[in-house]
């Protein structure tokens, strides 16, 4: 009897122990159960203030937008933000999400293959880290979603012991529809497999669910009841704006650029919806009215003749800026057109949009008023693609500033490059060729590379390599697209400062060239006509007018004679005719006195902004000293070229020439071979001009 009682007791004990172990196993399994979410689920759509979830593979895609770095706006894709933060990679995995307060100045960056965007502000933020539970916190196995449209939450694969059914009420869809209309209804989305409840009471530290609606179209934020422990951002920190930084671009070929197919297909992103009719920025929590200032600025000059420039804007149409920033860029161009006062009597404006390849939206003669330009700019669609600025500059240099496109000749040519962050190709060579064609290049760089992003820039210091001068006049840096409106007036002021548009001055249109011609008896009448033809051949290569290159001429023997001064003729044809009319004088050879005469009669009357170039042609040794007159001329800024024929003395030619004298002095045996020096001489003049420091 006693043995039977003992056996029964141990049997019950073993049974209870087994049951307890089984219950413990089930509890552990329940704790390990993690809800799965899709790549496109935004943090703001999940009500829970803190949760652990599982992301699927393949969320590293540009269509899943992310806003911010380290701290993310709740409009971001949760899983894509997790990849950006390094919590997981593109294979997916478990993540821990904590909701925190709204933030100002979300900065964009490139990290772990994900490009995040900048954002002025949003009313709720979140932090994301590896999916390790915090001690003392019980995490929900079911996520609560803000009501909008049916949002799927994928269950884990069904376990054998969880073979239970859940029925779905037909009223669910009706409730969902009402919630969308009301905008503040919260519904709960259950998993298809119930989870066994823990045998112990839930810990007191369990986060209280957030009862806020993060629908971006709601004009009034709903109250949020988030535990103080999750509010890691103080009110003062949230109110402190930080400038947005540029996200990186792919630098490879367009065939692998991630934005091509996916961005165009992402119809439900913030970039698309913000520009629906009747919806303003101010309804969405992005920026204040002061920050955006979208109204056109008042024109400061209506056809101002003192601002007569031919202006081309290179408009960034790359995918990296998004649709909303593209609209801000268009509004900026409209504001500039109004501020300039586009008119046939003053500035004219055309636009080239670039992405992978550039194309002209409209040229200089298409529109001649701010109103016409506004209507045209508003209709410009975004091209997409990369940011190939170098290719765009080459296109403008070769195609835009032509007579057929409305180029007016006497007006300076100006290109303003709008670039989001940095170019995806090299700009130095294309910019150099454009500058040498007389194009003044300005850069407006928005959201430039942060320090940790500079390794992604293809061409360091690309702005200094591109602009007309590196003194800061030709470059403007804007920290955010939302403050772009602030630089309208500074840009207009610089573009209209015609005296400082020095790249309009090329080697062919910015000199006062004085020819000093030997008319001594040893030259002879026939050879003198050959010399005059040589002078004419050089002159006709330059752009001659009263504001461009000017030509003057002196003939000398023992004495000197001013054939014509710099201000005598203002057209090329008149100059060539005057050269042809010069009569041969005949006499001795006083070259030193001729140099002094040229300094006094020609170059003292040269314009301050002109390069003073003296080209002296002689066929023999001088009767007087040439060194001191030449040195004086050099000290007064005259660039001297000496050309000797036949019996000319090499030492005198080198003394006359500017250093390095080997590059500024030429010698030929016969007059008939003078023509060989036309191209080398002009090439030398241009090379020297283009090698001037750009500061």
């Amino acid at each position: 009897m006693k043995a039977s009682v003992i056996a029964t007791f141990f049997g019950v004990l073993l049974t209870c122990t087994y049951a307890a172990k089984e219950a413990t196993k089930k509890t552990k399994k329940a704790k390990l159960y993690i809800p799965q979410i899709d790549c496109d689920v935004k943090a703001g759509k999940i009500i829970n203030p803190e949760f652990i979830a599982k992301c699927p593979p393949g969320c590293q895609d540009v269509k899943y937008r992310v806003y911010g770095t380290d701290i993310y706006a709740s409009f971001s894709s949760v899983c894509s933000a997790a990849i950006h933060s390094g919590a997981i990679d593109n294979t997916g995995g478990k993540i821990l999400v904590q909701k925190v307060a709204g933030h100002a100045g979300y900065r964009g960056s490139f990290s772990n293959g994900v490009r995040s965007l900048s954002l002025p502000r949003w009313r709720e933020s979140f932090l994301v880290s590896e999916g390790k539970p915090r001690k003392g916190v019980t995490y929900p196995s079911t996520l609560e979603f803000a009501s909008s449209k049916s949002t799927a939450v994928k269950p884990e694969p069904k376990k054998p012991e969880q073979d239970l059914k859940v029925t779905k009420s037909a009223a669910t869809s009706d409730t969902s529809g009402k919630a969308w209309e009301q905008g503040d209804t919260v519904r709960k989305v259950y998993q298809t497999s119930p989870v066994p409840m823990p045998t112990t009471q839930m810990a007191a530290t369990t986060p209280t669910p957030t009862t806020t609606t993060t629908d971006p179209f709601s004009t009034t934020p709903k109250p949020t009841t988030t535990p103080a422990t999750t509010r890691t951002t103080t009110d003062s920190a949230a109110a402190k704006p930080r400038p947005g930084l540029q996200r990186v671009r792919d630098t490879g070929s367009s065939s692998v650029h991630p934005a091509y197919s996916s961005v165009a297909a992402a119809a439900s992103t913030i970039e698309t919806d913000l520009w629906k009719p009747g919806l303003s920025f101010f309804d969405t929590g992005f920026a204040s009215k002061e920050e955006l200032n979208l109204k056109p600025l008042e024109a400061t000059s209506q056809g101002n003749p003192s601002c007569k420039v031919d202006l081309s804007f290179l408009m960034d149409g790359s995918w990296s800026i998004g649709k909303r920033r593209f609209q801000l860029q268009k509004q900026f161009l409209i504001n500039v057109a109004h501020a300039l006062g586009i008119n046939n009597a003053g500035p004219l404006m055309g636009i080239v949009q670039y992405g992978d390849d550039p194309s002209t939206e409209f040229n200089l003669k298409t529109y001649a008023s701010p109103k016409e330009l506004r209507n045209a700019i508003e209709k410009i669609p975004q091209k997409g693609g990369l940011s190939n600025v170098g290719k765009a500059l080459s296109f403008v240099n070769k195609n835009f500033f032509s007579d057929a496109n409305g180029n007016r000749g006497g007006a300076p040519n100006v290109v303003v490059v709008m670039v989001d962050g940095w170019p995806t190709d090299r700009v130095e060579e294309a910019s150099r060729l454009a500058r040498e064609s007389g194009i003044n290049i300005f850069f407006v760089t928005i959201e430039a590379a942060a320090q940790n992003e500079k390794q992604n820039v293809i061409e360091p210091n690309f702005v200094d390599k591109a602009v007309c001068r590196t003194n800061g006049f030709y470059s403007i840096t804007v920290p955010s697209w939302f403050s772009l409106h602030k630089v309208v007036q500074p840009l207009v002021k610089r573009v209209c400062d015609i005296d400082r548009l020095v790249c309009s001055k090329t080697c062919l249109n910015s000199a006062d060239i004085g020819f000093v011609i030997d008319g001594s008896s040893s030259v002879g009448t026939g050879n003198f006509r050959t010399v005059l033809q040589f002078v004419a051949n050089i002159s006709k290569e330059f752009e001659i007018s009263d504001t461009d290159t000017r030509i003057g001429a002196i003939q000398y023997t023992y004495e000197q004679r001013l054939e014509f001064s710099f201000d005598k003729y203002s057209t090329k044809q008149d100059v060539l005719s005057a050269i042809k009319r010069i009569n041969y004088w005949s006499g001795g050879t006083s070259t030193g006195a001729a140099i002094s005469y040229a300094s006094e009669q020609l170059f003292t009357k040269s314009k301050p902004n002109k390069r003073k170039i003296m080209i002296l042609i002689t066929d023999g040794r001088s009767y007087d000293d040439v060194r001191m007159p030449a040195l004086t001329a050099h000290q007064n800024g005259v660039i001297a070229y000496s050309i000797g024929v036949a019996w000319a003395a090499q030492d005198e030619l080198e003394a006359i020439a500017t250093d390095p004298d080997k590059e500024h002095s030429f010698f030929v045996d016969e007059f008939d071979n003078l023509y060989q020096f036309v191209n080398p001489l002009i090439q030398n003049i241009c090379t020297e001009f283009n090698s001037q420091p750009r500061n």
Side-chain angles (χ1 to χ4, degrees), residues 214-289:
T214 55
D215 186 348
F217 309 129
S218 174
T219 58
T220 305
K222 303 300 184 291
T224 302
T225 57
T226 304
T229 55
T230 64
R231 293 279 187 176
T232 59
T233 305
T234 65
D235 292 339
S236 60
K240 185 178 181 181
R242 292 186 297 170
L245 299 178
Q246 168 60 23
R247 53 266 169 222
V248 76
R249 291 189 181 86
D250 298 286
T251 56
S253 66
S254 60
S255 61
V256 296
H257 192 273
Y260 273 79
S261 58
S262 55
V263 170
S268 62
T269 64
I270 192 169
E271 312 288 356
T272 304
D273 292 331
L274 279 174
W275 291 96
K276 290 180 179 177
L279 184 65
S280 75
F281 280 96
F282 319 120
D283 298 330
T284 62
F286 274 100
S288 66
K289 294 182 180 180

Side-chain angles (χ1 to χ4, degrees), residues 433-577:
L433 294 173
R435 291 195 307 269
E436 290 178 2
S437 298
I439 297 174
N440 296 273
I441 301 174
F442 287 80
F443 257 74
V444 178
T445 308
I446 307 98
E447 297 185 6
Q451 190 62 39
N452 63 342
E453 295 175 316
K454 289 185 177 179
Q455 70 273 13
N456 300 306
V457 180
I458 292 178
E459 192 171 29
N461 302 318
F462 64 89
V463 173
D464 283 348
K465 294 176 180 178
V467 295
C468 188
R469 291 289 184 271
T470 59
N471 55 11
F473 179 77
Y474 289 88
S475 59
I476 297 176
T477 301
V478 187
S480 168
W481 281 96
F482 299 97
S483 56
L484 184 59
H485 63 278
K486 296 178 182 179
V487 303
V488 170
Q489 293 295 348
L491 178 62
V492 168
K493 184 177 180 180
R494 297 186 193 192
V495 166
C496 289
D497 193 350
I498 294 177
D499 289 340
R500 297 186 66 179
L501 299 182
V502 293
C503 274
S504 297
K505 299 174 177 62
T506 70
C507 60
L508 300 178
N509 69 5
S510 60
D512 281 344
I513 301 177
F515 289 95
V516 181
I517 306 168
D518 184 349
S520 62
S521 302
S522 58
V523 174
T525 302
N527 289 333
F528 187 78
R529 304 317 302 175
T530 302
V531 171
L532 293 183
Q533 185 61 55
F534 173 71
V535 171
N537 289 342
I538 293 174
S539 299
K540 68 183 181 182
E541 295 297 324
F542 290 85
E543 299 171 22
I544 297 172
S545 74
D546 55 350
T547 58
D548 294 313
T549 291
R550 302 186 302 171
I551 304 293
I554 287 172
Q555 184 181 178
Y556 74 95
T557 57
Y558 284 123
E559 301 177 289
Q560 306 83 34
R561 183 170 71 195
L562 179 64
E563 300 292 353
F564 54 89
S565 60
F566 290 138
D567 59 0
K568 181 70 171 178
Y569 303 109
S570 59
T571 69
K572 185 177 294 188
Q573 188 56 51
D574 286 346
V575 167
L576 296 178
S577 297

